[in-house]
Amino acid sequence: MSKSPIVQRSMAAVLATVLKQYPIVSITGPRQSGKTTLCHLLGPGYQYVNLEIQENREFASKDPGQFLEQYQDGVILDEVQAVPELFPYLQYLTDKRKRKGEYILSGSQNFLLLEKISQSLAGRVAIFSLLPLSIKELSPYLSASQRKWEYLCLRGFYPRLFAHKKMDAGIFYKSYFQTYVQRDIRQIINVKDLKVFQQFIKLCANRTGSVFNANDIGGQLGIDSKTVARWLSVLEASYIIYQLPAYYENLDKRILKKPKIYFYDTGLLCYLLGIKSAAALTKHTLLGSIFENFIITECKKDYYNKGREPELYFWQDTNQREIDLIIDKDTGTHLFEIKSGKTPLAYFFKNLNSFKGLAKEKGRKVKSHIIYGGNESFKREGHELYSWNYLFEKYL
């Protein structure tokens, strides 16, 4: 099987800087997003300990003090959330030694890791989230035939799929999904019926880009809304799904306030929807939502790769007027309509004009943009139109 060079990660530069400022750096993210590889590149001379290996886990949990005496002055602790006993000792030793960049912590269960960090390591650790590859990171390694958003959405962005270009994406995601459900879910919560939980994930896939309705999903599965909320939080903690909040500015009293849901990786999303080819993708009823998921997640990756918390929103009112993505920047409020179509049409501008009218009444300055599936970028009717290819060179 042919293997490609290791993709250079955008986050590496900012991580190298904070290693000189903090005693601990934490990198969370989904399984197989490249955390371990990045840790080794970041600290090439660091000792490496995988705490999912039973022998290491038992030593660390039974005698955390001795464990950290053995591993010090440059250590990568992988899946560190598996040994919560380490965190008070990490606090004590980093305060005592005052060494910068001594530990790199990584983990794939965001909730469990951040809970321990907030309890013991607040102020001592710089926290980062590493998502699967961005198209900007992939750009130097893609052939002309691969520079199509349909191909990228279907294949997904996990590093292994690009390190081994002949790897079957369907087999990869089947194994990824089964491993995730069978191992990670059982570690976080007690799911009595895994089949119902699998159905829950697939229902979420069918609602990507939609306002999340816990009662609707619960009714279909025969579970209560509290269980739905708990299961959703598990999917979020494991970097499967994220919520996009509604825009908080009260431009109109009729706005909806519930979040939308999206998947961190469109390859997994397409697998859950049963989409196996680019032809099937282009004919799928959720084509627009998948493209929207793709664009918004790329924006989210850009924030994370710079070590910043994403400030992304959507807007929708009770008349179904909607803005797919809103980003507040120093330069003003930026609106984005996201359309998979390859030709700009008149209806692309309708909701942007509605929002701009409301904002004008409130004295707000906004800039409006359209990201679409075509190849040309230009201005029209006071709006900036960007080809999705724009993401290869510059983020929005």
Side-chain angles (χ1 to χ4, degrees), residues 74-88:
V75 186
I76 299 166
L77 298 177
D78 205 354
E79 299 298 343
V80 68
Q81 77 282 343
V83 188
E85 294 87 354
L86 284 175
F87 288 88

Side-chain angles (χ1 to χ4, degrees), residues 1-7 9 30-34 37 131-134 138 141-143 146 150-177 264-271 275-276 301:
M1 181 177 289
S2 61
K3 190 171 182 179
S4 299
I6 295 174
V7 176
R9 304 307 299 260
R31 289 191 179 276
Q32 299 191 38
S33 64
T37 300
L131 299 184
L133 298 167
S134 69
L138 280 172
Y141 309 95
L142 295 175
S143 65
Q146 293 170 330
E150 296 91 343
Y151 168 83
L152 292 167
C153 279
L154 187 64
R155 187 143 184 94
F157 295 89
Y158 282 93
R160 185 178 294 272
L161 288 166
F162 291 91
H164 305 279
K165 293 187 177 180
K166 294 184 179 180
M167 180 176 287
D168 185 289
I171 295 174
F172 171 84
Y173 284 109
K174 178 182 178 182
S175 301
Y176 189 93
F177 181 59
Y264 275 105
D265 186 74
T266 55
L268 178 60
L269 172 61
C270 288
Y271 166 77
I275 302 172
K276 299 178 182 178
K301 289 174 186 176

